Amino acid sequence: MQLVSRNRCFEGDQAVYTHGSDVCGVDMTFGIYLPPQARNGSVPVLWYLSGLTCTHENAMTKGGFQEHAAKHGVALVFPDTSPRGEAVADDEAYDLGVGAGFYLNATQDPWKPHFQMYDYVVNELRALIQGAFPVTENHGITGHSMGGHGALTIALRNPTLFKSLSAFSPIVNPSQSDWGRKQFSAYLGDDEATWAQHDASILLGELGWHGDILIDQGADDQFMDLLRPQAFAEAATLRRQSAVLRMQGGYDHSYFFVSSFAGDHVKWHADRLRTGLH
């Protein structure tokens, strides 16, 4: 790893690192916040996966998570949303290619050589974080929009790796949305049977979750039709899944919305990560 920057923040440290990724085949960048409690021992970890067009930096600088993480003694990890660089395939559209990795492993060219974000988050970056920083094995995961999709699908498929789960305005039914069908066709091919493992509503119905789930959705979200929160609510009802799905009146899809409820989500995870309850 190479240190890019380090800043004192709420008596903790917000750092940014780059490292060579064997999984993605290029250098990757991530942010990590260590609360002041990490100076005296290992702390639990909350992962935040960002949405379309974002980098590691958006939530790190606009989400307001660090103050709450310092209060509750939780580390924060902010991965990038895709591989980057001259060798990485891209598309002119904002919702495909660089900045739009969708937290899956691409099986189709030209994306396959580098777009392996599922393995990057679940295996490579987790192992790096676990080995290089004072953190426990108690990990929670959250995210916004495309990152909410990533948080839900990754956690549902890896319940032994994550003890707590939440999301902000997630894309919960991408196999039935233009934010999903386009990307799945490009990254995974046209066989829709392969898409199900990346659809949170389908996964919830098939696998369930070992604890409760928190989802906040802005009621004035301009992308509501693409997010399809009703599909996840229906799946939770049919599964009889313990979940809190809050429709927040007046809020849209922006980081003004995310930052307004960041404290609720950090506390939600901290309560479950500290006690081991999930």
Side-chain angles (χ1 to χ4, degrees), residues 44-271:
V45 186
L46 175 58
W47 292 69
Y48 181 97
L49 305 185
S50 289
L52 287 167
T53 74
C54 291
T55 69
H56 67 282
E57 189 174 21
N58 295 72
M60 193 180 79
T61 59
K62 297 191 293 186
F65 287 90
Q66 291 91 338
E67 180 178 7
H68 308 293
K71 177 181 177 181
H72 295 289
V74 176
L76 303 168
V77 175
F78 303 99
D80 203 346
T81 56
S82 78
R84 299 175 189 272
E86 292 184 2
V88 176
D90 197 9
D91 189 270
E92 293 182 358
Y94 75 95
D95 58 356
L96 186 67
V98 173
F102 262 76
Y103 303 101
L104 51 74
N105 291 334
T107 60
Q108 306 297 305
D109 291 329
W111 316 104
K112 182 179 178 180
H114 302 293
F115 282 76
Q116 303 293 314
M117 289 301 295
Y118 178 88
D119 280 350
Y120 174 70
V121 171
V122 172
N123 298 317
E124 188 175 43
L125 185 56
R126 181 188 173 96
L128 188 155
I129 296 295
Q130 202 67 46
F133 300 98
V135 299
T136 72
E137 294 185 355
N138 289 350
H139 291 232
I141 191 166
T142 189
H144 174 232
S145 194
M146 180 186 72
H149 143 80
L152 291 168
T153 55
I154 285 173
L156 290 170
R157 292 174 61 186
N158 298 275
T160 62
L161 298 184
F162 296 96
K163 296 183 178 298
S164 55
L165 173 60
S166 76
F168 300 82
S169 299
I171 306 170
V172 293
N173 193 203
S175 66
Q176 300 302 316
S177 167
D178 287 344
W179 273 357
R181 295 187 64 83
K182 172 184 177 179
Q183 293 82 2
F184 290 177
S185 294
Y187 296 144
L188 302 175
D190 294 329
D191 181 4
E192 296 190 17
T194 66
W195 300 1
Q197 63 182 325
H198 301 289
D199 188 303
S201 296
I202 296 173
L203 288 172
L204 184 67
E206 293 179 348
L207 304 175
W209 174 247
H210 54 55
D212 46 5
I213 302 169
L214 173 62
I215 292 180
D216 276 313
Q217 171 65 59
D220 288 358
D221 195 313
Q222 60 271 43
F223 302 114
M224 188 80 77
D225 291 344
L226 295 168
L227 304 173
R228 293 181 53 80
Q230 69 277 10
F232 194 83
E234 181 178 355
T237 301
L238 293 173
R239 181 79 189 192
R240 300 188 180 184
Q241 173 68 49
S242 177
V244 179
L245 292 85
R246 306 191 300 191
M247 193 66 66
Q248 302 290 3
Y251 287 91
D252 57 18
H253 199 69
S254 69
Y255 266 96
F256 296 111
F257 159 69
V258 172
S259 62
S260 296
F261 300 99
D264 289 355
H265 283 249
V266 173
K267 183 179 186 303
W268 169 277
H269 288 274
D271 288 345

